[in-house]
Amino acid sequence: MADSSSSLPPLCEKISYKNYFLRVVDLTILGFLFSLLLYRILLMNQNNSVWVVAFLCESFFSFIWLLITSIKWSPASYKSYPERLDERVHDLPSVDMFVTTADPVREPPILVANTLLSLLAVNYPANKLACYVSDDGCSPLTYFSLKEASKFAKIWVPFCKKYNIKVRAPFRYFLNPPAATESSEFSKDWEITKREYEKLSRRVEDATGDSHWLDAEDDFEDFSNTKPNDHSTIVKVVWENKGGVGVENEVPHFVYISREKRPNYLHHYKAGAMNFLVRVSGLMTNAPYMLNVDCDMYANEADVVRQAMCIFLQKSMNSNHCAFVQFPQEFYDSNADELTVLQSYLGRGIAGIQGPTYAGSGCFHTRRVMYGLSIDDLEDDGSLSSLATRKYLAEENLAREFGNSNEMVTSVVEALQRKPNPQNTLANSLEAAQEVGHCHFEYQTSWGKTVIRFKLYHSRLLI
Ligand SMILES: O=c1ccn([C@@H]2O[C@H](COP(=O)(O)OP(=O)(O)O[C@H]3O[C@H](CO)[C@@H](O)[C@H](O)[C@H]3O)[C@@H](O)[C@H]2O)c(=O)[nH]1
Ligand SMILES: [Mn+2]
């Protein structure tokens, strides 16, 4: 856990971008706007309706201008120092990473595979990570592609770590040839890895048009007679990190899940998928932190988890006061100018006031906040207050809130009390994981009402 010594340099800092010259300019503009409105009001009686319309438009403009200027008044951003993490934190916390996909046509499986590969390869101890992909399309093709990708991960992840590759989504990384200055060993490994990635792409492409492989393996039996909106829960542990040495230890757990869907049950789209991801990961790994990434994105920074941990674990910021860490999104395939305005001006402005807004993807949350805790429920040392213990841990409450699965309730209690997860093998939780995939979890419990759906969008805790 985090070292409390204050003599060590901080894990992250808030950088302020206050600009007094800009503030004077803004105050001058505000003065002009007020004088204009005052002028309109004073001469209102002597003019016609055009004057009134002009007054209304200028008032509206002034209001919007004032709103935006107040947001931008004290811009700030957070700078993290992941290189300091190892000397400050001796036992890094676990992180469960979630990817949601819903449609193998609109979201090509090779892209989802790249998202998965970029997450499996992040710079973080692999035994502290687990990646869960939720497939609302219940697509055997997506499952096939991800399974193949997890085989390729055993080449890709060691390659990225050995050469400290920055972009860890192979489809982006292999766009550029290696620099001429690279060693011959690197060039050789680069060629081999690229060839293996091309083989993976080809296998996925071939499988797209031809489904004979569906019958060839028992593993795909669960997908027979399923429709995207009518099927039972599927949970498959594709790769389990059981420790050991070398490659075996370098690739994090990877679990494929597809929750039950029935035509007469609303499934709550991504929010429903996220609920199921939280439940299954709670049963299997129960990490205190969770990362949520859309399937058409990838982690473009290998240190992303370490950066988030710098912010969560920075003592001076009080880790209990931090509910989520949101990373900005960048687009590689569209004009990003409008995003610069959003992120550099408004994003930094909001970060200066309290913290960024939740953007739906690229966000780390603490599990306890997802289960309903707020700052008021915690003592200074992060333990549950006695009032919160009565409120959250009462047996009848737990079943009503989280459902009738005993294993689920146990995992929630352990997460709320910050107990380390006992090291079970993932396969031991398969039956319980199937159970929490039922549609009724979204109806007879708080999952479909407040857990996640409420917390994601109304969390009051900041960074
Ligand atoms: O029934 C569904 C529908 C969508 N998704 C997934 O949800 C994500 C976002 O859906 P998308 O259709 O791509 O929405 P966007 O408008 O592109 O996404 C933005 O807006 C959403 C909220 O409206 C956020 O949840 C997203 O994170 C944010 O990137 C994707 O990974 C989908 O695969 C599901 O898992 N199940
Ligand atoms: Mn999208």
Side-chain angles (χ1 to χ4, degrees), residues 30 137 301 366:
L30 185 66
E301 165 58 61
T366 69

Side-chain angles (χ1 to χ4, degrees), residues 157-177:
V157 175
F159 171 77
C160 289
K161 291 189 177 166
K162 182 173 174 190
Y163 297 108
N164 199 17
I165 303 301
K166 184 156 168 49
V167 179
R168 299 199 175 180
F171 83 116
R172 298 295 298 169
Y173 174 68
F174 288 120
L175 284 180
N176 302 315

Side-chain angles (χ1 to χ4, degrees), residues 34-48:
F34 275 141
S35 344
L36 176 65
L37 293 179
L38 193 65
Y39 168 71
R40 293 274 185 215
I41 292 169
L42 291 178
L43 298 185
M44 192 78 77
N45 288 342
Q46 301 160 26
N47 286 284
N48 57 14

